[in-house]
Coordinates of all heavy atoms in Angstrom, one line a residue:
I2 N 1.9 1.3 0.9 CA 2.8 2.5 1.0 C 4.2 2.0 0.7 O 4.6 1.0 1.3 CB 2.7 3.1 2.4 CG1 1.3 3.8 2.6 CG2 3.8 4.1 2.6 CD1 1.1 4.3 4.0
E3 N 4.9 2.8 -0.1 CA 6.3 2.5 -0.3 C 7.0 3.8 -0.4 O 6.7 4.7 -1.2 CB 6.5 1.8 -1.7 CG 7.9 1.3 -1.9 CD 8.1 0.5 -3.1 OE1 7.1 0.3 -3.9 OE2 9.2 0.0 -3.3
L4 N 8.0 4.0 0.6 CA 8.9 5.1 0.6 C 10.2 4.7 0.1 O 10.8 3.7 0.5 CB 9.0 5.7 2.0 CG 7.7 6.1 2.8 CD1 8.1 6.6 4.1 CD2 6.9 7.1 2.0
K5 N 10.8 5.5 -0.8 CA 12.1 5.2 -1.4 C 13.0 6.3 -1.2 O 12.9 7.4 -1.8 CB 11.9 4.9 -2.9 CG 10.9 3.8 -3.3 CD 10.8 3.7 -4.8 CE 9.9 2.5 -5.2 NZ 9.8 2.5 -6.7
N6 N 14.0 6.1 -0.3 CA 15.1 7.0 -0.1 C 14.6 8.4 0.1 O 15.1 9.4 -0.5 CB 16.1 6.9 -1.2 CG 17.4 7.6 -0.9 OD1 17.9 7.5 0.2 ND2 18.1 8.2 -1.9
L7 N 13.7 8.6 1.0 CA 13.0 9.9 1.2 C 13.9 10.9 2.0 O 14.4 10.6 3.1 CB 11.7 9.7 2.0 CG 10.5 10.6 1.6 CD1 10.1 10.4 0.2 CD2 9.4 10.4 2.6
H8 N 14.0 12.1 1.5 CA 14.8 13.2 2.1 C 13.8 14.4 2.3 O 13.0 14.7 1.4 CB 16.0 13.6 1.3 CG 17.1 12.6 1.4 ND1 18.2 12.8 2.2 CD2 17.3 11.4 0.7 CE1 19.0 11.7 2.0 NE2 18.5 10.9 1.1
K9 N 14.0 15.1 3.4 CA 13.3 16.3 3.6 C 14.2 17.3 4.4 O 14.7 17.0 5.4 CB 12.0 16.1 4.4 CG 11.2 17.3 4.9 CD 10.7 18.1 3.7 CE 9.9 19.3 4.1 NZ 9.3 20.0 2.9
T10 N 14.3 18.6 3.8 CA 15.1 19.6 4.5 C 14.2 20.9 4.6 O 13.5 21.2 3.6 CB 16.3 19.9 3.6 OG1 17.1 18.8 3.5 CG2 17.1 21.1 4.3
Y11 N 14.2 21.5 5.7 CA 13.6 22.8 5.9 C 14.6 23.9 5.8 O 15.7 23.8 6.4 CB 12.9 22.8 7.3 CG 11.7 21.9 7.4 CD1 11.8 20.8 8.2 CD2 10.5 22.2 6.8 CE1 10.7 19.9 8.3 CE2 9.4 21.3 6.9 CZ 9.5 20.2 7.7 OH 8.5 19.3 7.8
Y12 N 14.3 25.0 5.1 CA 15.2 26.0 4.8 C 14.9 27.3 5.5 O 15.5 28.4 5.2 CB 15.3 26.2 3.3 CG 15.9 25.1 2.6 CD1 15.1 24.1 2.0 CD2 17.3 24.9 2.5 CE1 15.7 23.0 1.3 CE2 17.9 23.9 1.8 CZ 17.1 22.9 1.2 OH 17.6 21.8 0.6
P17 N 20.1 25.3 7.2 CA 19.1 24.3 6.7 C 19.0 23.1 7.7 O 20.0 22.6 8.2 CB 19.6 23.9 5.3 CG 20.4 25.0 4.9 CD 21.0 25.6 6.1
L18 N 17.8 22.6 7.9 CA 17.5 21.5 8.8 C 17.1 20.3 8.0 O 16.0 20.2 7.5 CB 16.4 21.9 9.8 CG 16.2 20.9 10.9 CD1 17.4 20.7 11.8 CD2 15.0 21.3 11.8
H19 N 18.1 19.3 7.9 CA 17.8 18.1 7.2 C 17.1 17.1 8.1 O 17.7 16.4 8.9 CB 19.2 17.5 6.7 CG 19.1 16.5 5.7 ND1 20.2 15.9 5.1 CD2 18.0 15.9 5.0 CE1 19.8 15.0 4.2 NE2 18.5 15.0 4.1
V20 N 15.8 17.0 7.9 CA 15.0 16.3 8.9 C 14.9 14.8 8.6 O 14.9 14.0 9.5 CB 13.5 16.9 9.0 CG1 12.7 16.2 10.0 CG2 13.6 18.4 9.3
L21 N 14.7 14.5 7.4 CA 14.7 13.0 7.0 C 15.8 12.8 6.0 O 16.0 13.5 5.1 CB 13.3 12.7 6.3 CG 12.1 12.8 7.2 CD1 10.8 12.4 6.3 CD2 12.2 11.9 8.4
K22 N 16.5 11.7 6.3 CA 17.8 11.4 5.6 C 17.8 10.0 5.0 O 18.4 9.1 5.5 CB 19.0 11.5 6.6 CG 19.0 12.9 7.3 CD 20.0 12.9 8.4 CE 19.9 14.3 9.1 NZ 20.8 14.3 10.3
G23 N 17.0 9.9 3.9 CA 17.0 8.6 3.1 C 16.2 7.5 3.7 O 16.6 6.4 3.8
V24 N 15.0 7.9 4.1 CA 14.1 6.9 4.7 C 13.4 6.0 3.7 O 12.8 6.5 2.7 CB 13.0 7.6 5.6 CG1 11.9 6.6 6.1 CG2 13.6 8.3 6.8
S25 N 13.6 4.7 3.8 CA 12.9 3.8 2.9 C 12.0 2.8 3.8 O 12.5 2.4 4.8 CB 13.9 2.9 2.1 OG 14.7 3.8 1.3
L26 N 10.8 2.6 3.3 CA 9.8 1.9 4.2 C 8.7 1.4 3.3 O 8.2 2.0 2.4 CB 9.3 2.9 5.2 CG 8.3 2.4 6.2 CD1 8.9 1.3 7.2 CD2 7.7 3.5 7.1
I36 N 5.3 4.6 15.2 CA 6.5 5.3 15.0 C 7.0 5.9 16.3 O 6.2 6.7 16.9 CB 6.3 6.4 13.9 CG1 5.8 5.8 12.6 CG2 7.7 7.1 13.6 CD1 5.5 6.8 11.5
M37 N 8.2 5.6 16.7 CA 8.7 6.2 17.9 C 10.0 6.9 17.7 O 10.7 6.7 16.7 CB 9.0 5.0 18.9 CG 7.7 4.2 19.3 SD 8.0 3.2 20.8 CE 8.0 4.4 22.1
G38 N 10.3 7.8 18.6 CA 11.6 8.6 18.4 C 11.5 9.8 19.3 O 10.4 10.3 19.7
A39 N 12.6 10.4 19.7 CA 12.7 11.6 20.5 C 12.2 12.8 19.7 O 12.0 12.8 18.5 CB 14.2 11.8 20.9
S40 N 11.8 13.8 20.5 CA 11.4 15.1 19.9 C 12.5 15.6 18.9 O 13.7 15.6 19.2 CB 11.1 16.1 20.9 OG 10.1 15.8 21.8
G41 N 12.1 16.0 17.7 CA 13.0 16.4 16.7 C 13.7 15.3 15.9 O 14.5 15.6 15.0
S42 N 13.2 14.1 16.1 CA 13.9 13.0 15.3 C 13.4 12.9 13.9 O 14.0 12.2 13.1 CB 13.5 11.7 16.1 OG 12.1 11.4 16.1
G43 N 12.2 13.5 13.6 CA 11.7 13.5 12.2 C 10.4 12.6 12.1 O 9.8 12.6 11.0
K44 N 9.9 12.1 13.2 CA 8.8 11.2 13.1 C 7.5 11.9 12.7 O 6.7 11.4 11.9 CB 8.6 10.4 14.4 CG 8.3 11.3 15.7 CD 8.3 10.4 16.9 CE 7.9 11.3 18.2 NZ 8.9 12.4 18.4
S45 N 7.3 13.1 13.2 CA 6.1 13.9 12.8 C 6.1 14.4 11.4 O 5.1 14.4 10.7 CB 5.8 15.1 13.8 OG 5.4 14.6 15.1
T46 N 7.3 14.7 11.0 CA 7.5 15.1 9.5 C 7.2 13.9 8.7 O 6.6 14.0 7.6 CB 9.0 15.6 9.3 OG1 9.2 16.8 10.1 CG2 9.2 15.9 7.8
L47 N 7.7 12.7 9.1 CA 7.4 11.5 8.3 C 5.9 11.3 8.2 O 5.4 11.0 7.2 CB 8.1 10.3 9.0 CG 7.9 9.0 8.4 CD1 8.3 8.9 6.9 CD2 8.6 7.9 9.2
L48 N 5.2 11.5 9.3 CA 3.8 11.2 9.3 C 3.1 12.3 8.4 O 2.1 11.9 7.7 CB 3.2 11.3 10.8 CG 1.8 10.7 11.0 CD1 1.9 9.2 11.0 CD2 1.2 11.2 12.3
N49 N 3.5 13.5 8.5 CA 2.9 14.5 7.6 C 3.1 14.2 6.1 O 2.2 14.5 5.3 CB 3.5 15.9 8.0 CG 2.9 16.4 9.3 OD1 1.9 16.0 9.7 ND2 3.7 17.4 9.9
I50 N 4.3 13.7 5.8 CA 4.5 13.3 4.4 C 3.6 12.1 4.0 O 3.0 12.1 2.9 CB 6.0 13.0 4.2 CG1 6.8 14.3 4.2 CG2 6.2 12.3 2.8 CD1 8.3 14.0 4.2
L51 N 3.5 11.2 4.9 CA 2.6 10.0 4.7 C 1.1 10.5 4.5 O 0.4 10.0 3.7 CB 2.6 9.0 5.8 CG 3.9 8.2 5.9 CD1 3.9 7.4 7.2 CD2 4.1 7.3 4.7
G52 N 0.8 11.6 5.2 CA -0.6 12.1 5.1 C -0.8 13.1 4.0 O -1.8 13.7 3.8
I53 N 0.2 13.3 3.1 CA 0.2 14.2 2.0 C -0.1 15.6 2.5 O -0.7 16.4 1.8 CB -0.8 13.8 0.9 CG1 -0.7 12.2 0.7 CG2 -0.4 14.4 -0.4 CD1 -1.7 11.7 -0.3
L54 N 0.4 16.0 3.7 CA 0.3 17.3 4.2 C 1.6 18.1 4.1 O 1.6 19.3 4.2 CB 0.0 17.2 5.7 CG -1.4 16.6 6.1 CD1 -1.5 16.5 7.6 CD2 -2.5 17.4 5.5
D55 N 2.7 17.4 3.7 CA 4.0 18.0 3.6 C 4.6 17.4 2.3 O 4.3 16.3 1.9 CB 4.9 17.8 4.8 CG 6.0 18.8 4.9 OD1 6.2 19.6 3.9 OD2 6.6 18.9 6.0
T56 N 5.6 18.1 1.7 CA 6.3 17.6 0.6 C 7.6 17.0 1.0 O 8.0 17.1 2.1 CB 6.5 18.8 -0.4 OG1 7.3 19.8 0.3 CG2 5.2 19.4 -0.9
Y57 N 8.3 16.4 0.0 CA 9.6 15.9 0.2 C 10.5 16.3 -0.9 O 10.1 16.7 -2.0 CB 9.6 14.3 0.3 CG 8.8 13.6 -0.8 CD1 9.5 13.1 -1.9 CD2 7.5 13.4 -0.7 CE1 8.8 12.5 -2.9 CE2 6.8 12.8 -1.7 CZ 7.4 12.3 -2.8 OH 6.7 11.6 -3.8
D58 N 11.8 16.3 -0.7 CA 12.8 16.9 -1.6 C 13.4 15.9 -2.6 O 13.6 16.2 -3.7 CB 14.0 17.6 -0.8 CG 13.5 18.6 0.2 OD1 12.6 19.4 -0.2 OD2 13.9 18.6 1.3
E59 N 13.7 14.7 -2.0 CA 14.3 13.6 -2.8 C 13.6 12.3 -2.5 O 13.0 12.2 -1.5 CB 15.8 13.5 -2.6 CG 16.6 14.7 -2.9 CD 18.1 14.5 -2.5 OE1 18.6 13.4 -2.7 OE2 18.7 15.5 -2.1
G60 N 13.8 11.4 -3.4 CA 13.2 10.1 -3.2 C 11.8 10.1 -3.7 O 11.4 10.9 -4.5
D61 N 11.0 9.1 -3.3 CA 9.6 9.0 -3.7 C 8.7 8.4 -2.7 O 9.2 7.6 -1.9 CB 9.5 8.3 -5.1 CG 8.3 8.7 -5.9 OD1 7.5 9.6 -5.4 OD2 8.1 8.2 -7.0
Y62 N 7.4 8.7 -2.8 CA 6.4 8.1 -2.0 C 5.3 7.6 -2.9 O 4.7 8.4 -3.6 CB 5.8 9.2 -1.0 CG 4.6 8.9 -0.3 CD1 4.1 7.6 -0.1 CD2 3.8 9.9 0.3 CE1 3.0 7.3 0.6 CE2 2.6 9.6 1.0 CZ 2.2 8.3 1.2 OH 1.0 8.1 1.8
V198 N 2.1 7.8 15.7 CA 3.2 8.3 16.4 C 2.9 8.3 17.9 O 1.9 8.8 18.3 CB 3.6 9.7 15.9 CG1 4.6 10.4 16.8 CG2 4.2 9.7 14.5
I212 N 8.5 1.1 14.3 CA 9.7 1.6 13.7 C 10.2 2.8 14.5 O 9.5 3.5 15.1 CB 9.5 2.1 12.2 CG1 8.6 3.3 12.1 CG2 9.0 0.9 11.4 CD1 8.6 3.9 10.8
S213 N 11.5 2.9 14.6 CA 12.2 3.9 15.4 C 12.9 4.9 14.5 O 13.7 4.4 13.6 CB 13.1 3.3 16.4 OG 12.4 2.5 17.3
V214 N 12.8 6.2 14.7 CA 13.4 7.2 14.0 C 14.4 8.0 14.9 O 14.0 8.4 16.0 CB 12.4 8.2 13.3 CG1 13.1 9.2 12.5 CG2 11.4 7.4 12.5
K215 N 15.6 8.2 14.4 CA 16.6 9.0 15.2 C 17.4 9.9 14.3 O 18.0 9.4 13.3 CB 17.5 8.0 16.0 CG 18.5 8.7 16.8 CD 19.4 7.7 17.6 CE 20.4 8.4 18.5 NZ 21.2 7.5 19.2
D216 N 17.4 11.1 14.6 CA 18.2 12.1 13.8 C 17.9 12.0 12.3 O 18.8 12.2 11.4 CB 19.7 11.9 14.0 CG 20.0 12.2 15.5 OD1 19.3 13.0 16.1 OD2 21.0 11.6 16.0
G217 N 16.6 11.7 11.9 CA 16.3 11.7 10.5 C 16.4 10.3 9.8 O 16.1 10.2 8.6
Y218 N 17.0 9.4 10.5 CA 17.2 8.0 10.0 C 16.2 7.0 10.6 O 15.9 7.1 11.8 CB 18.6 7.5 10.3 CG 19.7 8.3 9.6 CD1 20.4 9.3 10.4 CD2 20.1 8.1 8.3 CE1 21.4 10.1 9.8 CE2 21.1 8.9 7.7 CZ 21.7 9.8 8.5 OH 22.7 10.6 7.9
L219 N 15.8 6.1 9.8 CA 15.1 4.9 10.3 C 16.1 3.9 10.9 O 16.8 3.3 10.2 CB 14.2 4.3 9.2 CG 13.0 3.4 9.6 CD1 12.1 3.2 8.4 CD2 13.5 2.0 10.2
V220 N 16.1 3.8 12.2 CA 17.2 3.0 12.9 C 16.7 1.6 13.3 O 17.6 0.8 13.7 CB 17.8 3.8 14.1 CG1 18.5 5.1 13.6 CG2 16.7 4.2 15.1

Side-chain angles (χ1 to χ4, degrees):
I2 289 173
E3 187 175 4
L4 304 183
K5 300 179 177 179
N6 195 34
L7 213 65
H8 287 260
K9 173 66 178 180
T10 301
Y11 292 109
Y12 293 96
L18 186 60
H19 195 180
V20 181
L21 296 180
K22 304 169 183 176
V24 172
S25 295
L26 180 66
I36 303 173
M37 300 193 74
S40 296
S42 61
K44 60 186 186 301
S45 290
T46 297
L47 176 58
L48 198 74
N49 286 337
I50 290 174
L51 290 172
I53 322 178
L54 297 173
D55 202 351
T56 58
Y57 49 95
D58 305 315
E59 299 178 35
D61 207 359
Y62 168 21
V198 166
I212 66 169
S213 298
V214 181
K215 182 177 181 181
D216 299 330
Y218 296 99
L219 200 164
V220 296

